Amino acid sequence: MIELAVFDMAGTTIEEHGAVYEALRHAVESTGVTVTTADLQTWMGTDKREAIAALVRIGGGAPDADLVERQYTAFRTFLKKRYEDVPPQPIVHADKALEELRARGVKIALTTGFSDDVALPLLASLGWSTGEGGNLDAVVTSDDVRRGRPAPYMIHRAMEKCGVDDVRTVLVAGDTIVDLEAGTNAGAGVVVGVLTGQLTREQLEPHPHTYVVNSVADIPGLAETVS
């Protein structure tokens, strides 16, 4: 039986219309390098500062700490404007899926490659929160761990926050390759790829997983989540 479901945010539980892809590409290419779609997809879902540094380096640039911080600010500024122009919203039926899982006693945590200053206002705009009356049991951002995905630390931090001891009772779901890798690296009992992000089934399925489903809306129907 699953005790904890750990979901990625953008592209998995939150529809943000590809804004993170656009913002990351902008932050990197405004340094003068070129980013391929394949490289961008590889680094989606990771800590955004790490992604900027890696993609600038892959493009032939030489990212130092000052450049990374400057381009992270450019990322945040671009993303904020995109979110103002096209406000994020829950993935269709995501609210209902989270509510159904919690009604079965499954705790819900969200993890993200965003830092607190991006993630928390985004959640607030949706009315999602932890604490009494909230719909979440924990939120883990890149500020909470030393390394983001594909390292397992955000998942283990979510377990710590939710009081879950056995990683075999954890389900991890996300829309990127590093989401699947992080779940596998953490030893999660169930690792689910979802198709509401930018990757296709054919792009996700070669990577370790238990299921690939159309949406988080399908997760309450998985055998492991039904008591």
Side-chain angles (χ1 to χ4, degrees), residues 171-223:
L171 178 148
V172 174
D175 65 300
T176 67
I177 293 166
V178 292
D179 289 318
L180 302 184
E181 291 175 340
T184 300
N185 290 340
V190 181
V191 178
V192 183
V194 300
L195 300 177
T196 46
Q198 300 294 310
L199 299 184
T200 65
R201 180 178 296 274
E202 290 71 27
Q203 289 171 311
L204 285 176
E205 283 190 336
H207 303 276
H209 65 277
T210 313
Y211 302 100
V212 174
V213 299
N214 290 328
S215 164
V216 292
D218 298 317
I219 289 177
L222 299 179

Side-chain angles (χ1 to χ4, degrees), residues 32-48:
V33 306
T34 299
V35 180
T36 69
T37 299
D39 287 334
L40 192 63
Q41 289 173 345
T42 296
W43 284 91
M44 281 300 299
T46 64
D47 175 274
K48 296 305 177 283

Side-chain angles (χ1 to χ4, degrees), residues 11 14-20 22 82-83 86-89 198:
I14 300 173
E15 173 58 78
E16 44 80 68
H17 312 285
V20 176
E22 295 176 23
R82 283 285 280 109
Y83 282 176
V86 185
Q89 56 196 23
Q198 300 294 310

Side-chain angles (χ1 to χ4, degrees), residues 112-132:
T112 179
F114 294 151
S115 53
D116 285 353
D117 55 357
V118 176
L120 300 184
L122 173 56
L123 292 174
S125 75
L126 301 177
W128 290 9
S129 65
T130 59
E132 187 174 354

